[in-house]
Amino acid sequence: MNFKYLYLVLLSSVVSFAQLPEGFVYVKEVIPDLHVELRYNTDNNFVGQPVDGYNSNRLILTKQAAEALRLVQEELEDENLCLKVYDGYRPQQGVNHFMRWARDLNDTVNKTIFYPKIKKRTLFKAGYIATKSGHSRGSTIDLTLVDGSTGEVLDMGSPYDFFGEASWVNYPHISEKQKENRQKLQTVMLKHSFRNYSKEWWHFTLRWEPFPKTYFDFPVE
């Protein structure tokens, strides 16, 4: 056995773990079969490029939020459904990137996809962009449901991160099946202590979150 190699592997694992502040975890270590697609680590988002601070596709949450999410996943598996996560912990530098982007009125690369009916200059006033985000406290998560057999995301009636009334939880002008899918997600998340945000069907925050007034800025790595 190559003990030097084994030592380096173990050391790398310890260093990786030590990068997180106390109270935070890599969620795949708690829920190994979780689907994770951190959109801000890609160019498939309203900014149109990877966002500052998102250096990998590793989902990070507080330990309490991850454990609560594990209970959600376990319940959904009984119905052949799974969770797919688009965002969790968000470093403040990512929020700052959003603010710089919002002030550049000439940058509208993904407008037709994410905010076709919203004028970019109104994003702050409308509440779509803010100077602080609950995501930076580590217990807020954006997610959807996935068919356990096909891996296909369930139709929620609007895309993730769509700026507009179509993303409101109780938006009436969608199909009955889309309403049913939204309600399924809302019900299971609320059952396991996540409160929703009425204007984004995908957005939930753990009740009694451990860092209610602390905004972190360590990178996602």
Side-chain angles (χ1 to χ4, degrees), residues 29-40:
E29 295 178 2
V30 179
I31 317 172
D33 58 346
L34 186 66
H35 296 251
V36 176
E37 182 189 338
L38 297 186
R39 288 288 184 85
Y40 302 135

Side-chain angles (χ1 to χ4, degrees), residues 27-165:
V27 181
K28 293 278 278 188
E29 295 178 2
V30 179
I31 317 172
D33 58 346
L34 186 66
H35 296 251
V36 176
E37 182 189 338
L38 297 186
R39 288 288 184 85
Y40 302 135
N41 181 236
T42 75
D43 58 8
N44 184 16
N45 57 62
F46 58 85
V47 177
Q49 61 179 275
V51 174
D52 290 355
Y54 286 85
N55 301 328
S56 78
N57 191 50
R58 302 183 75 184
L59 176 64
I60 298 170
L61 288 172
T62 61
K63 182 178 180 181
Q64 291 93 326
E67 290 292 347
L69 198 68
R70 179 178 58 81
L71 298 178
V72 174
Q73 178 84 336
E74 289 176 353
E75 177 166 335
L76 288 170
E77 287 175 347
D78 291 338
E79 302 180 52
N80 198 33
L81 295 172
C82 303
L83 294 170
K84 182 172 186 176
V85 180
Y86 294 125
D87 196 25
Y89 161 72
R90 179 184 305 164
Q92 180 63 40
Q93 58 192 289
V95 179
N96 296 344
H97 190 163
F98 292 166
M99 290 191 291
R100 292 195 307 274
W101 167 83
R103 293 187 178 109
D104 183 358
L105 300 183
N106 294 318
D107 182 356
T108 56
V109 62
N110 276 345
K111 176 175 172 59
T112 57
I113 300 173
F114 293 99
Y115 54 110
K117 297 181 180 180
I118 304 291
K119 294 180 179 179
K120 192 174 182 182
R121 67 174 181 269
T122 68
L123 291 179
F124 281 105
K125 184 177 180 180
Y128 293 111
I129 303 294
T131 59
K132 297 287 185 181
S133 170
H135 282 276
S136 300
R137 302 194 300 261
S139 295
T140 293
I141 191 164
D142 295 341
L143 41 62
T144 191
L145 296 176
V146 173
D147 185 299
S149 298
T150 66
E152 295 294 320
V153 296
L154 272 59
D155 186 354
M156 294 291 180
S158 77
Y160 165 65
D161 250 1
F162 182 82
F163 297 168
E165 291 185 14

Side-chain angles (χ1 to χ4, degrees), residues 205-218:
T205 299
L206 183 70
R207 296 184 186 276
W208 312 291
E209 57 184 304
F211 303 109
K213 297 181 180 180
T214 305
Y215 296 84
F216 295 86
D217 194 31
F218 60 91

